[in-house]
Amino acid sequence: MSKNIEEIVLAIDIGGTYTKLGLVNRDGSVLSSNVFKTEASQPFGKFEKRISQEVQRLLSISTIANMVCAIGIGAPNANYRTGEMINPPNFKWGKQVPIKNMIQEILDRPIFMTNDANAAALGEMYYGAARNLKNFVVLTLGTGLGSGIINEGQLIYGQNGMAGELGHVNVFADGRQCNCGLKGCLETYASVTGIKRTVFELLANSTTESVLRTYSFDSLTGKNISDAAHQGDTIALQAFEQTAMILGSKMADTVAHLEPEAFILTGGLSQAGELFLRPLKNYMEAALFNAYRGKVKILLSKSESAEAVLGPAALAWEGLN
């Protein structure tokens, strides 16, 4: 197929909370998009029906749908070799979820699929904060903690396509229970879900006044905690401090393995901005080997949440090249 400027790709970002769809051109312009709740705790068949409806709806309302030349999919624990989600920890869809085959039945186009954080890393390299970087790590701080590693401009997949699961390195040997089955995983502390758990632990062990006491666990969001912290809420500030300490230490470990130019943070937890970035940088620097100090940047993604489809789009364009 010729690579003219009229070609577009269908990009699909499957998250633990929301699934986002977009039609994207080579320049990274999102020409049409929609979003719906993933309902990861519901049976996979329900999602399968819903995404089929949403893809058809997106294509039907667009006058450029016939120009779709490929599909890019980013999903948690996605194996780019098999096209399956393998034991996704925050989903109740089974051990091997045939995402690629399911999408192929909806729209017959070449499909490129990888871990959502891997896709996010490609999106940052093609369209975002990492345009001039060749060695960096993207951390997606959302429902869980995902990571994508770029080395010399190439995405690291590993032997079986599952490299870069920094969310499941161990923080505490007998720490918090993770949905993956292990205990003490980094994502149980450094994610939106993790910081919510920290907030409720702090509330339970303190009589300090906090606006966060008005929320149930399910209703509390990362934005609520960020807003409270910006307003000087003591519990919210303590929660970010603890989260920064844990994540900063593990980022220092990652520097020892990879020596990246930068970490790029995206997802709900990064919405706190400098309030989170400052202590995170300090804790990382304090834990770094001398040779690395002062050399590794921590950047915030410039992409809005609605632009999460740019990662899968970049994956599709790269696959076509």
Side-chain angles (χ1 to χ4, degrees):
M1 184 177 289
S2 64
K3 299 177 181 178
N4 59 67
I5 60 173
E6 294 181 328
E7 288 181 339
I8 57 175
V9 294
L10 170 62
I12 303 173
D13 177 75
I14 301 174
T17 304
Y18 293 102
T19 293
K20 298 166 186 176
L21 310 175
L23 297 176
V24 185
N25 67 14
R26 282 188 176 271
D27 295 330
S29 296
V30 182
L31 307 178
S32 185
S33 65
N34 62 12
V35 59
F36 63 93
K37 287 187 176 180
T38 304
E39 295 186 297
S41 63
Q42 298 297 312
F44 178 63
K46 184 173 183 180
F47 175 81
E48 188 173 11
K49 181 178 180 181
R50 182 66 187 276
I51 197 170
S52 177
Q53 294 171 342
E54 295 294 339
V55 168
Q56 296 299 341
R57 186 168 73 87
L58 182 66
L59 297 177
S60 69
I61 62 176
S62 174
T63 58
I64 53 178
N66 62 331
M67 302 176 193
V68 173
C69 58
I71 301 169
I73 305 171
N77 281 39
N79 186 321
Y80 89 104
R81 298 184 194 278
T82 68
E84 298 172 320
M85 290 170 65
I86 308 296
N87 294 310
N90 298 304
F91 292 69
K92 306 297 183 183
W93 292 352
K95 295 182 178 181
Q96 294 177 294
V97 190
I99 295 291
K100 182 176 179 179
N101 288 344
M102 180 261 291
I103 297 297
Q104 192 89 60
E105 291 181 4
I106 298 171
L107 185 64
D108 188 15
R109 297 288 191 280
I111 295 179
F112 305 93
M113 177 174 166
T114 191
N115 180 285
D116 53 346
N118 284 348
L122 289 174
E124 293 295 342
M125 186 168 67
Y126 275 75
Y127 306 120
R131 281 191 177 188
N132 298 315
L133 303 181
K134 290 186 177 181
N135 298 280
F136 64 93
V137 178
V138 167
L139 299 177
T140 59
L141 307 173
T143 305
L145 189 159
S147 53
I149 301 168
I150 300 290
N151 182 68
E152 291 301 309
Q154 298 295 316
L155 185 63
I156 293 179
Y157 282 111
Q159 177 64 26
N160 297 301
M162 298 294 289
E165 286 292 345
L166 299 184
H168 298 284
V169 299
N170 187 264
V171 176
F172 300 113
D174 195 30
R176 293 173 178 173
Q177 181 64 54
C178 183
N179 286 336
C180 76
L182 298 173
K183 284 189 175 182
C185 290
L186 180 60
E187 79 166 34
T188 67
Y189 298 91
S191 64
V192 173
T193 306
I195 199 171
K196 285 169 60 176
R197 293 171 77 168
T198 299
V199 164
F200 275 82
E201 286 177 0
L202 290 169
L203 291 173
N205 294 315
S206 168
T207 58
T208 303
E209 290 187 10
S210 171
V211 66
L212 301 179
R213 292 189 184 278
T214 64
Y215 294 92
S216 68
F217 187 87
D218 288 341
S219 65
L220 184 63
T221 67
K223 186 176 188 305
N224 296 148
I225 303 170
S226 294
D227 290 345
H230 282 294
Q231 293 164 13
D233 186 278
T234 300
I235 295 294
L237 289 169
Q238 288 178 355
F240 273 110
E241 186 77 12
Q242 288 190 20
T243 303
M245 178 175 63
I246 292 170
L247 181 57
S249 172
K250 290 305 173 182
M251 287 167 63
D253 290 348
T254 300
V255 172
H257 295 142
L258 302 171
E259 196 194 358
E261 300 171 76
F263 289 93
I264 299 172
L265 309 185
T266 184
L269 197 58
S270 68
Q271 293 176 352
E274 286 297 321
L275 184 149
F276 182 46
L277 214 57
R278 280 193 300 271
L280 184 62
K281 180 75 170 178
N282 290 338
Y283 282 117
M284 182 188 76
E285 286 288 334
L288 283 175
F289 177 53
N290 287 338
Y292 305 130
R293 287 182 180 168
K295 298 178 181 178
V296 183
K297 298 184 285 287
I298 303 178
L299 308 173
L300 294 178
S301 172
K302 300 173 184 177
S303 299
E304 299 292 332
S305 176
E307 297 176 316
V309 294
L310 290 180
L315 175 68
W317 288 123
E318 183 174 81
L320 288 173
N321 287 340

